[in-house]
Amino acid sequence: MTNIPESILKEIENNEDGSFQIKSQGGFAHLTVFPSGKNGKPVRVDEVVGRLKLLGIERYERKLVEKTVKEAKAEPVALVAWTGGDAVDSRVEIDVTPDKMNVYINVHPPKFGGRILSKGDIIQILIDNKITYGLQENAIAELVEHTKYYVKTLVAKGKEPINSTNGYIKLLFDPSSTPKLAENQFGKVNYKDLRIIQSVETGSVIAEKVAPQLGQDGMDVYSNLIPFAKGTEGNWKVGANCELDENQQKLVAMIAGRPVQEKDGTIRVDEVIHLENVDYSTGNVEFPGMIIVDGNVADDFTLKTKGSLFIKKSVGRVFLYAEKDIVLSGGIMGRSGGFVEAQGNIYAKFVEQGKLKAGGNIIITEASLHSDISAKEGITVLGGRGELIGGEAVAGTHITVSKLGAVVETRTNLTVGLPPEVLDELDRMKEELKNREETLKKVRFSLNRILDHHKKEVSKEEELTIHKLRELEKKYLELCETLKTQFESVSTSFDLSESAYVSIEKNLYPRVNINFGKDKIFNSELKTYTGKYFLYVNPEGFISPTSIPPKNLKPTKDHGK
């Protein structure tokens, strides 16, 4: 009966990844690094350094960190604390910047009846020091007239060269895939008309070369000529399905398709793959260009593309990844499973019990219900019902909804203004916590199997197994607790973004919690607000619903005063 626990223990010991924790003990930051199993991944130094930076721990010795990581002794190592006379004429100190483009002086007052320097004196001192170009005579006169001592003053300024502009490749299409949202005559936006799919016909010119433009010479404060830098020619990077014309000045599409510029500047024209359904007849799909699915995507299937992904019907528990945008004409019934991630934007009619992550914006036209959604830019839930109810919504800049929360007082959590690098680290911490908790479950399962089967007597071999399992349980329990504490600390103490805001068109219901970082939290526990409201941290440092939009919100007919 002990075979199952022993096999699980062996599996954990062999496949266990290395781990670490940083704790405050006795006023010092202690680093503990646990070794990996035979087949596991060891802890990397950059992981530890990143966590130290995130927790605000500085001035530690990197060599000590490297040594601790390398040895991985599973023992805490303290890194750093977790915290009168003769007359003297007026004189001038001259400070020339290293690039010889700016000269500052600091005038010291005379002592014991010494002489005060005149404007002419100061100019002559500069000339004697071979500073002859760009003298700021008005500034010198002002300095002398008002007898400003110990004030660092700019008195000479060089002329920066105007470098030639580099030649470049001018795109004749928009590579950003940004939605072209337009207002109608009543000031409303049709979120169904996104216009983000660009296409070209065979023979279309999609890019052209622009020549460099000549610049102008500059001069430093010593009257030395600074020649301007000559511009470089733009270089073509020609990808699939396009060719240069005979003069090498224009790029022409050889097929009808979608023009794309890759991160390295390569320009190509993508063909589009159309799929009727994604199921066992296709298997998981990975394609470098655009994917369009006309029918259904079966549960637990994966679609992955370096381009954009368009699905015309609603999906369930699926895994979707795109390096550009994901557009779902229907919605998502995640049933607390699956994952939808786009490095660009995500557009959907609705999402229920789903998990979405966007490197740009998330735009939902009907409702987000009990879902985990995060966007490095903004989240918009407008159009039909425009409801955001339950779950968690995290946005880097703003969240705009019609209705926030529910009449039945569903707990709804929002975080706004979270910097992208903090969001990425929190995601890593969540994934790490999930893995640690899974391992802890296996350990406890194995321990309970042995203890339940042998309630009175156990063999020496079983005693050793129990001891190892208890040590593992203690280790992973502490790792999980530390991660949970640090996750909560970081997620509520990030630096406040002055531009972060929440916009509500119609209703704000009770039990909505909005975190703006560093103890800036709004909670609508007992009150319903009706009408148009904005929430943001005002100059006095308070958060309260107001009809006055934040300064960074561009006024429109929908966002009036």
Side-chain angles (χ1 to χ4, degrees), residues 291-349:
I291 300 175
I292 297 177
V293 182
D294 295 318
N296 298 311
V297 179
D299 282 354
D300 299 318
F301 278 82
T302 298
L303 283 86
K304 186 178 294 186
T305 173
K306 293 182 178 179
S308 295
L309 173 61
F310 299 83
I311 301 177
K312 297 183 179 180
K313 291 188 177 181
S314 295
V315 298
R317 190 179 61 248
V318 296
F319 299 87
L320 310 178
Y321 303 88
E323 291 189 9
K324 291 190 179 296
D325 299 331
I326 293 178
V327 179
L328 302 168
S329 299
I332 305 168
M333 296 283 291
R335 298 191 294 278
S336 300
F339 187 50
V340 177
E341 180 178 7
Q343 292 184 22
N345 304 316
I346 297 176
Y347 309 88
K349 187 175 182 180

Side-chain angles (χ1 to χ4, degrees), residues 80-91:
V80 69
W82 185 285
T83 97
D86 296 331
V88 178
D89 292 341
S90 176
R91 64 184 179 87

Side-chain angles (χ1 to χ4, degrees), residues 361-376:
N361 298 282
I362 292 177
I363 297 176
I364 300 170
T365 58
E366 284 288 341
S368 173
L369 308 174
H370 312 288
S371 296
D372 182 355
I373 59 178
S374 67
K376 288 189 177 180

Side-chain angles (χ1 to χ4, degrees), residues 2 27 41 46 150 190 260 283 297 307 377 411-412 423 522:
T2 60
K41 298 178 181 178
D46 60 341
Y150 302 117
N190 181 2
V260 175
V297 179
E377 294 181 20
R411 169 62 69 187
T412 305
L423 179 59
F522 171 83

Side-chain angles (χ1 to χ4, degrees), residues 460-523:
K460 290 184 178 180
E461 183 179 344
E462 288 171 334
E463 283 183 359
L464 180 60
T465 300
I466 291 172
H467 175 73
K468 288 183 178 180
L469 287 170
R470 288 198 185 281
E471 288 296 314
L472 277 174
E473 180 185 33
K474 179 181 177 182
K475 169 186 170 181
Y476 276 92
L477 186 62
E478 186 174 354
L479 282 171
C480 290
E481 289 300 320
T482 301
L483 273 171
K484 287 178 183 177
T485 301
Q486 293 178 354
F487 182 89
E488 291 299 322
S489 173
V490 172
S491 63
T492 57
S493 62
F494 57 87
D495 289 333
L496 175 66
S497 171
E498 295 180 356
S499 62
Y501 68 88
V502 175
S503 173
I504 302 158
E505 298 286 323
K506 294 181 180 179
N507 300 107
L508 170 60
Y509 294 104
R511 291 179 64 77
V512 172
N513 188 77
I514 305 175
N515 174 22
F516 285 89
K518 287 205 171 175
D519 299 323
K520 303 296 182 183
I521 297 175
F522 171 83
N523 199 311

Side-chain angles (χ1 to χ4, degrees), residues 197-210:
I197 302 177
Q198 298 181 73
S199 62
V200 294
E201 299 297 326
T202 302
S204 299
V205 177
I206 58 177
E208 60 186 16
K209 180 180 282 191
V210 177

Side-chain angles (χ1 to χ4, degrees), residues 24 27-29 56-59 80-83:
S24 175
F28 282 82
I57 301 170
E58 301 177 349
R59 297 182 180 178
V80 69
W82 185 285
T83 97

